[in-house]
């Protein structure tokens, strides 16, 4: 059980800064992606935190899995929309 908690914490520590790297240091994306990424990541971190509190809740685990797929899809859409000439 300790391994799962440690790996989850490590993934969260990597996920948040890496997804925000596109905006600030690399300047590939603009404010639209930044706002979307922060909003989606806050929901994701909250769901992970809830699952870490009750590791035996399978419904919560399924919910997190479904949200992770939606999360990646919406981040990809945010990158595409943010790179449109309207937002530059």
């Amino acid at each position: 059980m300790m391994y799962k908690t440690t790996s989850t914490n490590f993934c969260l520590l990597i996920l948040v800064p890496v997804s925000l790297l596109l905006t600030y240091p690399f300047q590939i994306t603009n404010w639209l992606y930044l706002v979307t990424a922060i909003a989606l990541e806050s929901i994701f971190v909250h769901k992970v935190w809830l699952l870490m509190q009750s590791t035996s809740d399978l419904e919560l685990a399924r919910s997190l899995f479904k949200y992770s797929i939606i999360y990646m899809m919406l981040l990809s859409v945010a990158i595409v929309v943010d790179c449109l000439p309207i937002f530059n």
Side-chain angles (χ1 to χ4, degrees), residues 11-80:
C11 288
L12 280 178
L13 289 174
I14 298 295
L15 173 73
V16 174
V18 166
S19 64
L20 297 178
L21 280 176
L22 293 174
T23 301
Y24 178 64
F26 298 144
Q27 295 181 351
I28 296 173
T29 59
N30 295 317
W31 62 270
L32 180 67
Y33 171 78
L34 179 65
V35 170
T36 305
I38 290 172
L40 292 173
E41 286 169 9
S42 64
I43 297 169
F44 189 77
V45 168
H46 178 70
K47 285 182 173 282
V48 168
W49 185 79
L50 289 175
L51 186 60
M52 287 173 54
Q53 300 304 313
S54 60
T55 56
S56 61
D57 188 356
L58 293 179
E59 187 61 36
L60 188 58
R62 284 186 191 103
S63 169
L64 178 62
F65 176 71
K66 290 175 188 176
Y67 182 75
S68 69
I69 295 170
I70 294 169
Y71 166 81
M72 292 304 296
M73 182 182 63
L74 291 177
L75 270 184
S76 300
V77 168
I79 291 172
V80 169

